[in-house]
Amino acid sequence: MNSSRTAWHPQGRTPAPARETRRCLDRAAAACLESQRPNGSWATPARPRILENALAVFALAKAECAAPHHDRVRAWLRQAEPQRHDALTEAADAWLRALALDVTNPPPLPVVPRDSAAHRRRLLLLQTLGVAAGAPGCSPYELLDQATKALGPTGGASLTGWHRAQFLSAALIARHAVGLPVDEGLVAALTAEQAPDGSYHAMPLVTAMACLALTRAAPGRAATHRATARLLADQHTDGTWRFTTFDVWDTGLMVRCLRGNSVFDSLARPAALDFLADAQSPQGGWGSVSPAVAGSGLDCDADTTGNTLLALAGTEQGRRAWPAVVLYARENQDDRGLWTTWRSSRDTVAQDTVAHMVGGIRAHGSADVEVGRAARWLHQQHSGARRWTADWYVFPGYAAAEIGPVVGWSTDAARSEARILAAGQLGDGGWPAFPGARASSPAATALAATVLVRSRTSTPQALARAARFLVDTQLDDGTWDEPDPFMSGPRPFLTDVLAQAHALTCRGLMDLLRHTATP
């Protein structure tokens, strides 16, 4: 390995690839400074997709708020391409687009897969819209039965707030479709989920669904007017609606990935740390969205909490936040020593979430929360499946990049992940966001570089090709374009927030530079 490195670093001089990589990183760091908000955060909207836009168009049309709000978004929908990484998303996107472009003539609901919990949840969303539209193949009785069972005798108390709001909306829409009287209890429960600004859990998707239900069941009421106004306010200047903006997650990830860059550390990091400290919830953790974005933000989740702990490691802000974090971590740890992302009866344990919590707790150098069982669990997951998995990003190297530091880069598991990644490098030096993606992804390439460098299992030639790909694909403003969406939300639909990809790409560049500087 050392002799190979010498071939890339001859006679102790820094060759052109390393100088170009340094300049590439400098431009990327400057772009981070340009996009930081006055409150110290990064809050980058996702790129538009069919899901939010079709639902918003349909909801506002039923609320009799069509023109002039829809001309631009309908033009966008006409040229928008369905997501094709999954059979459900492709069929659903085509159906949603057709529904939004002609709300008076709804097409039949397509036959879509039901082979996972995510597919079944998204099918319920499609059925809700289909029932509201009167689409063939959509039974309001079946929808009412599903929603009633999901809410149960407690009204969905064990669900996340946004899932509860979606089931309440489905029940109200189904009852209206079959001619049942308005259930004031359901209306009151849905109204209780609404934030003062009219939004529902900082999610335009959920706000649109609630707006549709309230227009049906409670027209003319204050909650209905607030939901409609919020939905209109969420429309971007280009006429589109976007997935949720995650300012806390974006900021924590940016700090984690660029810490160590001198320009970033001196000019951007102090305000970012203050923002993260101020965003801590009274429950002790962090939600991915703060009230600065919408409503009261999102409830705490373990993934954002772990990510933020990693960002605050070794800082005064982290030391001040720690006592409350201990209470949150203990309260939400299960009998196996693990954490689910959300406090929800429907949630399952995600490996990247556990890794963030373990890594974040360890980074604060405290034994106040026991993490040994969780670390062993992560190692066992690889022993069984021979691959780690992640719930948030689909990049092939993301799970290994986040779990590797927790179990150890020198372990057989981490090196096995690196070898599999190395075999997936494409001819242009990059890696795709997922199998079958249209082109190599800068962030996926940078994540692969992080894993290969830190596990010490790659050749300098492969890393040089990765660096060349990142240098060559950087745009004039210091950013990169991602050819495919890469983030699950809501599964199996994908979305993308370019600030998050930018942060991960910067981390890979920093690792590549450290590699060239290693004797």
Side-chain angles (χ1 to χ4, degrees):
M1 188 73 170
N2 287 338
S3 61
S4 297
R5 281 183 178 163
T6 302
W8 193 26
H9 200 302
Q11 302 175 357
R13 295 193 303 271
T14 303
R19 286 198 299 270
E20 290 183 73
T21 304
R22 167 60 64 188
R23 287 196 296 269
C24 181
L25 177 60
D26 289 344
R27 290 193 296 268
C32 294
L33 300 182
E34 288 290 328
S35 60
Q36 189 174 23
R37 291 157 63 94
N39 67 356
S41 73
W42 284 266
T44 307
R47 290 190 286 193
R49 58 181 177 174
I50 290 173
L51 180 61
E52 281 83 10
N53 287 283
L55 182 49
V57 165
F58 183 76
L60 288 172
K62 295 303 180 181
E64 299 182 350
C65 294
H69 309 289
H70 291 171
D71 292 343
R72 286 171 298 165
V73 69
R74 283 202 171 105
W76 181 87
L77 280 167
R78 288 188 188 97
Q79 55 80 38
E81 289 292 326
Q83 295 186 5
R84 293 190 168 87
H85 65 280
D86 176 270
L88 182 143
T89 60
E90 184 171 7
D93 271 353
W95 182 79
L96 287 165
R97 183 177 58 186
L99 179 66
L101 292 174
D102 186 2
V103 299
T104 61
N105 187 29
L109 191 69
V111 176
V112 296
R114 308 183 186 201
D115 54 356
S116 72
H119 286 151
R120 290 190 291 273
R121 285 194 293 268
R122 299 298 81 78
L123 179 59
L124 184 124
L125 183 149
L126 299 179
Q127 288 173 328
T128 303
L129 281 179
V131 167
C138 297
S139 166
Y141 295 100
E142 180 182 342
L143 178 64
L144 181 58
D145 181 62
Q146 289 184 66
T148 302
K149 287 179 179 177
L151 292 167
T154 65
S158 65
L159 303 174
T160 60
W162 50 95
H163 283 139
R164 187 164 54 246
Q166 290 179 72
F167 283 120
L168 289 167
S169 298
L172 286 169
I173 288 170
R175 288 179 64 87
H176 179 272
V178 299
L180 291 173
V182 173
D183 187 323
E184 291 295 342
L186 291 176
V187 173
L190 184 57
T191 302
E193 298 292 331
Q194 190 177 40
D197 69 352
S199 67
Y200 278 80
H201 301 284
M203 299 180 183
L205 190 70
V206 183
T207 302
M209 187 66 75
C211 176
L212 183 60
L214 291 170
T215 299
R216 286 283 198 280
R221 299 194 193 179
T224 310
H225 289 311
R226 286 197 302 270
T228 304
R230 181 71 254 168
L231 196 54
L232 290 169
D234 284 338
Q235 190 175 22
H236 286 249
T237 55
D238 66 353
T240 64
W241 282 264
R242 314 293 180 90
F243 191 49
T244 307
T245 299
F246 300 97
D247 57 340
V248 179
W249 179 270
D250 289 6
T251 305
L253 191 67
M254 199 72 76
V255 171
R256 283 183 57 204
C257 291
L258 279 113
R259 179 171 44 213
N261 177 275
S262 58
V263 173
F264 181 89
D265 284 348
S266 61
L267 298 179
R269 187 168 171 250
L273 294 174
D274 288 340
F275 168 80
L276 291 173
D278 292 342
Q280 188 176 21
S281 164
Q283 285 75 45
W286 283 265
S288 57
V289 182
S290 82
V293 168
S296 53
L298 278 181
D299 292 340
C300 295
D301 70 86
D303 203 21
T304 304
T305 297
N307 185 62
T308 308
L309 284 175
L310 287 164
L312 294 179
T315 67
E316 179 57 33
Q317 293 90 339
R319 286 186 284 275
R320 291 198 304 267
W322 180 249
V325 176
V326 172
L327 298 177
Y328 171 85
R330 287 175 174 172
E331 181 182 347
N332 290 277
Q333 196 172 25
D334 67 19
D335 293 341
R336 298 170 294 171
L338 309 177
W339 293 267
T340 55
T341 305
W342 309 103
R343 295 182 181 182
S344 169
S345 60
R346 289 174 166 247
D347 206 11
T348 56
V349 176
Q351 294 175 27
D352 45 334
T353 295
V354 173
H356 289 149
M357 284 297 290
V358 174
I361 291 166
R362 283 178 175 173
H364 288 259
S366 174
D368 294 336
V369 183
E370 186 272 319
V371 297
R373 288 179 296 161
R376 289 191 293 274
W377 178 85
L378 287 169
H379 201 284
Q380 290 163 2
Q381 299 312 296
H382 194 280
S383 299
R386 310 308 302 171
R387 289 303 304 269
W388 283 314
T389 61
D391 269 17
W392 193 230
Y393 300 117
V394 298
F395 298 126
Y398 178 69
E402 302 299 90
I403 300 172
V406 173
V407 303
W409 285 114
S410 62
T411 59
D412 289 342
R415 290 178 178 248
S416 171
E417 292 280 350
R419 286 191 294 270
I420 294 172
L421 270 177
Q425 189 173 26
L426 301 180
D428 62 2
W431 278 259
F434 51 82
R438 291 179 293 179
S440 292
S441 151
T445 301
L447 281 162
T450 286
V451 174
L452 297 179
V453 168
R454 297 193 183 196
S455 64
R456 299 176 181 270
T457 54
S458 184
T459 66
Q461 291 80 8
L463 296 175
R465 291 171 59 220
R468 171 54 61 192
F469 172 81
L470 295 175
V471 169
D472 289 347
T473 55
Q474 189 177 37
L475 304 177
D476 291 341
D477 64 358
T479 67
W480 289 267
D481 187 34
E482 288 290 334
D484 295 281
F486 52 79
M487 186 173 73
S488 299
R491 294 176 190 86
F493 290 93
L494 296 179
T495 186
D496 49 5
V497 179
L498 293 181
Q500 297 174 19
H502 187 85
L504 295 167
T505 305
C506 288
R507 183 172 68 177
L509 281 168
M510 292 174 70
D511 283 326
L512 287 167
L513 285 167
R514 292 188 186 105
H515 168 81
T516 63
T518 302

